[in-house]
Amino acid sequence: MANWFTHLDLDRQSAVWRHWFDFLSDGRTLIRYDPRGSGLSDRNVDDFSMDRWIEDLDAVVKCAGLTRFPLIGLCQGGAVAAAYAARHPNRISRLVLYDSYPFGAYAEGVPDRLVQEARALAEMIEVGWGKKTGAFREIFANLLMPEADKDALRWISEMQRRSASARNARLMWDAFNDFDIRDVAGDIAAPTLVFHGRRDAMVPFEAGRQLASLIPNARFVPLETSNHILLPNENAWAQFCREFNDFLEPEAAAERACGLALDTLTAREAEVLDGVARGLGNRDLADLLRISEKTVRNYVSTVFSKLGVESRAQAIVSARDAGLGRD
């Protein structure tokens, strides 16, 4: 899920994000995109509401041809990811939320002190965003990565300047503080892992605990860190990576088993499965492959048996995860 403060062209070079995306793409296919109004996405945007963010993610999912997949969301991206998982329970196999929250500072019931703090930072963003020096640079760096070295601090300034304009950064900040998923978090069906830094100054630790408590059967993992974005030399980073891999291992094991099963298919069986993954019925497959409908049914039964699935829907998920059924 897209989150604030990214730029697809720069992230793999930056001391802020490089280790994150190297880890997340190690042995996995990682699909990323910059959020509306920032990075390489369209900058001429006025609507940063939750619904628009969900629609953007859905557009990426459809463009990538995804049917069922694990989803990770960081900070405000976690709130959107959770809302998306609640809205599309059949698509999300596993959900990981990091340093996120169930509602922002402008939501109903938030103490006035927190509202005032959020609005004060909004004003500072508007006048100080992207500047190489000044009070805002120091405040933002201390909120984001108080334990960062000089290289990371330099990248924080550079990522501000390159990721978004001051106007868009202010609009996004205000939108993030309007997010409120308390009424939908209980609808999340996917196994969920919630991480939160114990001394995170950007999003309070209690917000992460609240989020986990609202999601059925979510597991909460506290991380011993002061950084909102984990650094690669922290013990908390090693813990995050370990817990993340363990959480996704059942998914990876299923994919490996599916890959082995696909290797047992004959060329004709693979053609039939590809057609099934494209949504073709038996009659359409018979016409396409120029064989009888009865023969197609026999092939489908054999393919289901080899894959260890019981329904067309399960076969489609397995096939599309393996890259079949796509143009």
Side-chain angles (χ1 to χ4, degrees), residues 141-174:
N142 283 326
L143 288 172
L144 201 66
M145 302 171 78
E147 298 174 11
D149 59 19
K150 290 183 179 180
D151 188 37
L153 290 174
R154 180 179 63 82
W155 272 106
I156 288 174
S157 295
E158 183 66 7
M159 292 294 291
Q160 279 185 40
R161 187 177 68 83
R162 298 285 292 274
S163 67
S165 66
R167 169 192 176 274
N168 283 359
R170 164 68 188 267
L171 289 174
M172 283 190 279
W173 175 260
D174 285 339

Side-chain angles (χ1 to χ4, degrees), residues 3-5 16-17 19-20 73-78 97-101 139-148 156 173 176 195-205 207 223-231 234 236-237 240:
N3 56 277
W4 197 29
F5 200 57
V16 176
W17 290 119
H19 55 292
W20 277 84
L74 282 61
C75 195
Q76 69 285 331
L97 307 175
Y98 169 86
D99 277 10
S100 193
Y101 54 92
I139 291 173
F140 190 74
N142 283 326
L143 288 172
L144 201 66
M145 302 171 78
E147 298 174 11
I156 288 174
W173 175 260
F176 301 156
F195 293 98
H196 212 99
R198 198 178 292 278
R199 299 177 300 280
D200 184 1
M202 184 68 78
V203 180
F205 181 71
L223 299 171
E224 296 299 332
T225 182
S226 300
N227 293 315
H228 183 64
I229 302 175
L230 291 172
L231 293 165
E234 293 185 79
W237 171 247
F240 170 84

Side-chain angles (χ1 to χ4, degrees), residues 70-71 93-96 190-193 195 219 241-251:
L71 178 65
S93 58
R94 289 178 178 266
L95 180 65
V96 178
T192 303
L193 187 62
F195 293 98
R219 187 163 73 87
C241 294
R242 183 173 61 254
E243 294 274 4
F244 184 93
N245 282 334
D246 288 347
F247 184 64
L248 288 192
E249 177 53 31
E251 193 96 5

Side-chain angles (χ1 to χ4, degrees), residues 181-197:
I181 62 168
R182 285 174 286 187
D183 60 338
V184 301
D187 297 330
I188 296 172
T192 303
L193 187 62
V194 180
F195 293 98
H196 212 99

